[in-house]
Amino acid sequence: MRTNQLKGHNGPRYRHETHVEKPFETIEVKKLTPVIGAEIHQIDLSKPILAKQQEELHRALAENQVIFFRDQDISKENHVTFGRIFGDLHIHPAAPHVTNIPEMMLIQADRNSPRANGEVWHTDVSCDQEPPMGSILHIYECPENGGDTLFASMYAAYDALSERMKTYLQGLTAFHDGEPAYRGTYANFGVQDKTNYPHAEHPVIRTHPITLKKALYINKGFTSHLIGVPIDESDGILNYLFEHMENPLFQCRFKWQKNSIAFWDNRCVQHRAMWDYWPNTRSGHRITVAGDRPFFQA
Ligand code: SIN
């Protein structure tokens, strides 16, 4: 069996450094794993969110990369208002949205669906020049079992690379293409194809603008090739990185219930939705918060 252990090396190859984090005063934060994910309790997102709660939610997201809420019976207006706390809202370049709310993307799969959203590991809309900072998904209908979402920390994926690989990737950029991901994808929702879809070149390693930590920033959903290296080399390196980032050590898995919410930071997290619940229905709304142009800072 192949292993990612170094020869002659004792202990885990990936060691997550834990820090003592400042306690929270207005919310309760329960970590799902030492690496990624936390459930947030003692907050009602249908009510106004006070300044101190907003500050603590920002911090909980920065510390955990994806945060989850339970039993949040929110309206569409509550959802939009909550999203706006974190920035301007992003409008998806292709996906269907709720009538009269272009910022609110429909997430829906049922017996008749040809596909479900997010079945491939990805960060949302990384093909945009300024990809979204975060996504806030409210699931209001879900099967009793199945339909979980997996989240993977791209800080952990970066940290676990060998020093030689980090050196190789530093300064490289990659092409992210919306065309193959979006063309024809939403035809079942009556969405017409566009002439053009977004594409962008981004650093393979990006520095998070808030935490200043480095994260691996390539994904199977959008990244077609590395810029400036032969295509066979690009394919080899990307395939290695795609396999590497799927290591379960970097992941948490969220089991949805009616009125659960997940808020993930696209700058340091990839996710993958499991469509294992057919013919059952899973429905939700996603608000996506706009982001900045990715950069690398040594
Ligand atoms: C997505 O936003 O990629 C879909 C995630 C999900 O349905 O869990």
Side-chain angles (χ1 to χ4, degrees), residues 97-161:
H97 59 76
V98 170
T99 313
N100 296 329
I101 316 182
E103 302 90 347
M104 185 170 277
M105 181 177 159
L106 285 175
I107 300 284
Q108 154 86 29
D110 59 30
R111 171 185 290 278
N112 302 313
S113 302
R115 57 180 292 283
N117 270 93
E119 284 185 88
V120 172
W121 280 107
H122 67 289
T123 52
D124 291 323
V125 203
S126 69
C127 54
D128 267 3
Q129 295 290 331
E130 296 186 345
M133 151 281 176
S135 304
I136 305 170
L137 176 59
H138 172 214
I139 291 288
Y140 57 85
E141 180 181 11
C142 62
E144 213 172 294
N145 290 300
D148 299 357
T149 308
L150 277 58
F151 296 90
S153 166
M154 292 302 106
Y155 294 145
Y158 171 78
D159 289 345
L161 292 170

Side-chain angles (χ1 to χ4, degrees), residues 9-232:
H9 178 91
N10 288 322
R13 165 158 160 204
Y14 173 61
R15 291 165 195 251
H16 175 72
E17 269 186 52
T18 45
H19 303 279
V20 179
E21 286 161 357
K22 215 170 95 186
F24 290 87
E25 290 168 28
T26 62
I27 52 175
E28 188 188 355
V29 179
K30 285 192 172 169
K31 283 187 180 294
L32 258 63
T33 78
V35 176
I36 178 171
E39 280 203 13
I40 310 295
H41 299 278
Q42 311 293 345
I43 190 162
D44 180 349
L45 302 186
S46 70
K47 301 267 166 26
I49 312 294
L50 307 176
K52 181 72 181 171
Q53 289 174 310
Q54 294 186 18
E55 182 196 313
E56 293 205 326
L57 288 170
H58 272 109
R59 179 155 71 85
L61 183 67
E63 287 176 2
N64 296 288
Q65 306 153 66
V66 52
I67 51 179
F68 305 104
F69 304 84
R70 299 285 188 191
D71 303 317
Q72 300 289 337
D73 191 5
I74 56 167
S75 65
K76 296 188 191 79
E77 291 70 28
N78 295 149
H79 195 171
V80 168
T81 304
F82 183 61
R84 289 213 168 105
I85 291 174
F86 300 91
D88 291 337
L89 301 186
H90 171 272
I91 297 182
H92 198 281
H97 59 76
V98 170
T99 313
N100 296 329
I101 316 182
E103 302 90 347
M104 185 170 277
M105 181 177 159
L106 285 175
I107 300 284
Q108 154 86 29
D110 59 30
R111 171 185 290 278
N112 302 313
S113 302
R115 57 180 292 283
N117 270 93
E119 284 185 88
V120 172
W121 280 107
H122 67 289
T123 52
D124 291 323
V125 203
S126 69
C127 54
D128 267 3
Q129 295 290 331
E130 296 186 345
M133 151 281 176
S135 304
I136 305 170
L137 176 59
H138 172 214
I139 291 288
Y140 57 85
E141 180 181 11
C142 62
E144 213 172 294
N145 290 300
D148 299 357
T149 308
L150 277 58
F151 296 90
S153 166
M154 292 302 106
Y155 294 145
Y158 171 78
D159 289 345
L161 292 170
S162 71
E163 291 308 314
R164 280 182 180 274
M165 183 55 85
K166 287 178 187 167
T167 304
Y168 173 82
L169 296 177
Q170 189 166 320
L172 267 182
T173 57
F175 192 77
H176 295 241
D177 195 358
E179 174 94 26
Y182 296 143
R183 184 164 298 284
T185 297
Y186 298 107
N188 61 309
F189 288 97
V191 176
Q192 303 282 321
D193 275 340
K194 291 184 172 172
T195 319
N196 296 308
Y197 289 94
H199 55 81
E201 188 179 326
H202 297 307
V204 171
I205 309 299
R206 79 179 283 187
T207 304
H208 192 287
I210 306 298
T211 65
L212 300 181
K213 290 198 232 174
K214 295 189 184 69
L216 193 56
Y217 196 66
I218 46 88
N219 68 86
K220 262 188 187 165
F222 294 103
T223 314
S224 59
H225 60 279
L226 301 174
I227 309 283
V229 301
I231 194 66
D232 54 342

